[in-house]
């Protein structure tokens, strides 16, 4: 079986990681894996794991992308894949426009994956046009069917994203040298109870609610520190967050770490992780699952797929959206409590790959 996955680029992110994981799963199972993207830092890993990368920009949000349709159709006819699997809206439009004019008797099967809660419009509707549609959570499936009633529920399958439990093993302890380097870089965190707050610094991730939580918690105790992990993709919201911190008088409680590649260590070093998304829902929420896999408790708003993952692994961490007082109380209690009772993680990588490959085989066999 030959599968072509298409996405905008291979930089960091959940879509990119999922693409690489499925690509490796295909290769390991003896299938042919091809990925089309504009390139990026993950190409080397993709190729090292046995897939072929074709550098082709199809994800730029421009009508000029439509000029690629005819060329792409010819290329697909030459490649003769069994499946073409798209994971993002602009590439999905280009691929679909090329695919629909191919001979139905010989063209590949067309699959989409809904990775996020996109704006509800005709542009986003393309993600429901796959002959088979994967939703990365029950939350994502409900969003798709509720907002795009033309989508046939029978062709939508939930395949939860998954993490490798060997990459995030229960009870993992960071190397002392790593911990020392962290505290040398961020001395205000040394000797404190640590709150990890990962995610891009955008308005919908809840950073302003985080400031309110910290200000309230600081009125009760001074023995904690917050590690904010992530960058500001648009370069302007971070200043608003810093201003809110300054106005609340809690500057000393925050360290901004930027984008990191050592999340396993940061989860393990922390006493609790917070997730406070309350507007644009998370479609899955990988960081929640990674952190809980290690055994560090997560407290978060029961919203979107975060409610789904917390319900399965750590129900005690759920908080009603906006209930900052409960967030503060749960965090403070976890600082003093015995290790949290965290359930076994059902969202594992092997299950995700197995389910995805099974859908490929089912669709390819027609």
């Amino acid at each position: 079986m030959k599968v072509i996955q298409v996405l905008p680029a291979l930089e960091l992110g959940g879509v990119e990681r999922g693409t690489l994981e499925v690509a490796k799963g295909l290769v390991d199972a003896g299938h042919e894996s091809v990925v089309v993207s504009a390139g990026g830092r993950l190409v080397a890993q993709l190729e090292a794991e046995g897939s072929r990368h074709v550098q082709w920009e199809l994800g730029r949000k421009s009508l000029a992308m439509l000029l690629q349709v005819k060329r792409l159709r010819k290329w697909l006819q030459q490649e003769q894949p069994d499946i073409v699997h798209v994971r993002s809206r602009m590439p999905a439009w280009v691929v679909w426009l090329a695919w629909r004019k191919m001979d139905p008797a010989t063209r590949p099967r067309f699959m989409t994956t809904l990775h996020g809660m996109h704006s509800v419009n005709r542009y986003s509707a393309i993600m429901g046009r796959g002959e088979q549609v994967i939703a990365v959570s029950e939350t994502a499936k409900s969003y798709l069917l509720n907002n795009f009633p033309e989508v046939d529920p029978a062709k939508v399958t939930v395949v939860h994203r998954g993490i490798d439990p060997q990459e995030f093993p229960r009870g993992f302890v960071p190397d002392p040298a790593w911990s020392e380097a962290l505290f040398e870089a961020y001395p205000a965190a040394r000797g404190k109870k640590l709150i990890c707050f990962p995610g891009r610094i955008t308005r919908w991730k809840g950073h302003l609610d985080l400031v309110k939580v910290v200000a309230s918690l600081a009125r009760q105790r001074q023995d904690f520190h917050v590690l904010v992990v992530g960058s500001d993709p648009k370069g302007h919201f971070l200043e608003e967050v810093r201003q809110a911190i300054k106005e609340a008088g809690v500057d000393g409680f925050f360290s901004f770490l930027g984008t990191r590649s050592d999340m396993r260590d940061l989860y393990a070093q922390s006493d609790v992780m917070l997730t406070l998304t309350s507007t644009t829902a998370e479609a899955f929420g990988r960081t929640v699952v990674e952190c809980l896999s290690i055994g560090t408790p997560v407290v978060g708003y029961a919203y979107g797929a975060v409610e789904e993952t917390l319900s399965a692994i750590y129900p005690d961490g759920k908080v009603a959206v906006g209930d900052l007082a409960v967030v503060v109380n749960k965090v403070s209690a976890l600082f003093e409590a015995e290790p949290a009772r965290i359930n076994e993680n059902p969202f594992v990588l092997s299950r995700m790959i197995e389910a995805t490959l099974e859908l490929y085989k089912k669709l390819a066999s027609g």
Side-chain angles (χ1 to χ4, degrees), residues 63-263:
L63 290 177
M65 290 294 97
L66 300 182
L67 299 176
Q68 302 290 333
V69 169
K70 187 174 180 180
R71 179 183 166 211
L72 179 64
R73 184 183 301 124
K74 182 178 180 180
W75 181 77
L76 288 173
Q77 289 167 339
Q78 292 171 342
E79 288 286 329
Q80 296 185 327
D82 297 284
I83 303 283
V84 59
H85 181 181
V86 292
R87 297 174 174 272
S88 182
R89 289 174 291 177
M90 194 67 225
W93 274 108
V94 178
V95 172
W96 180 76
L97 289 169
W99 172 85
R100 69 173 184 163
K101 293 289 184 69
M102 296 174 70
D103 182 352
T106 58
R107 69 188 178 188
R109 308 308 297 271
F110 178 63
M111 179 183 283
T112 58
T113 289
L114 182 68
H115 286 275
M117 278 43 158
H118 305 299
S119 53
V120 180
N121 51 37
R122 286 190 64 194
Y123 178 56
S124 300
I126 188 64
M127 301 313 295
R129 288 193 180 180
E131 295 177 285
Q132 174 70 50
V133 180
I134 292 176
V136 298
S137 62
E138 293 289 350
T139 301
K141 179 180 178 179
S142 296
Y143 157 85
L144 181 66
L145 297 180
N146 290 339
N147 290 290
F148 300 94
E150 69 276 11
V151 176
D152 179 3
K155 70 178 184 179
V156 182
T157 301
V158 173
V159 178
H160 286 101
R161 302 297 83 186
I163 62 102
D164 183 354
Q166 294 184 347
E167 185 179 356
F168 299 94
R170 184 66 61 94
F172 173 78
V173 177
D175 185 282
W178 177 92
S179 299
E180 181 58 29
L182 177 73
F183 296 131
E184 285 183 2
Y186 305 97
R190 189 184 293 274
K192 302 293 178 65
K193 301 288 187 180
L194 294 180
I195 298 172
C196 183
F197 196 83
R200 289 173 295 167
I201 301 176
T202 60
R203 190 172 303 279
W204 65 277
K205 286 287 188 179
H207 290 77
L208 296 180
D209 273 12
L210 172 66
V211 176
K212 296 175 184 176
V213 167
V214 170
S216 180
L217 189 58
R219 289 193 285 270
Q220 300 178 15
R221 57 197 303 160
Q222 301 284 303
D223 63 340
F224 72 95
H225 195 77
V226 183
L227 304 177
V228 179
V229 187
S231 56
D232 181 351
K234 296 188 177 178
H236 56 77
F237 185 57
L238 176 57
E239 285 309 309
E240 186 175 337
V241 174
R242 289 189 182 278
Q243 183 61 31
I245 291 170
K246 183 177 180 181
E247 291 175 358
V250 290
D251 306 62
F253 290 91
F254 284 87
S255 290
F256 288 83
L257 278 61
T259 300
R260 305 279 297 212
S261 59
D262 52 357
M263 290 307 303

Side-chain angles (χ1 to χ4, degrees), residues 170-171 270-273 291-299 310 313-318 330-331 333-344:
R170 184 66 61 94
S270 300
D271 295 278
V272 62
M273 184 188 119
C291 192
L292 289 171
S293 179
I294 280 178
T296 298
V298 176
V299 174
L310 283 176
I313 312 175
Y314 185 58
D316 289 346
K318 294 191 296 182
K330 283 184 178 287
V331 170
L334 285 167
F335 285 164
E336 307 301 332
E338 294 295 317
R341 290 183 294 177
I342 298 173
N343 299 332
E344 182 181 354

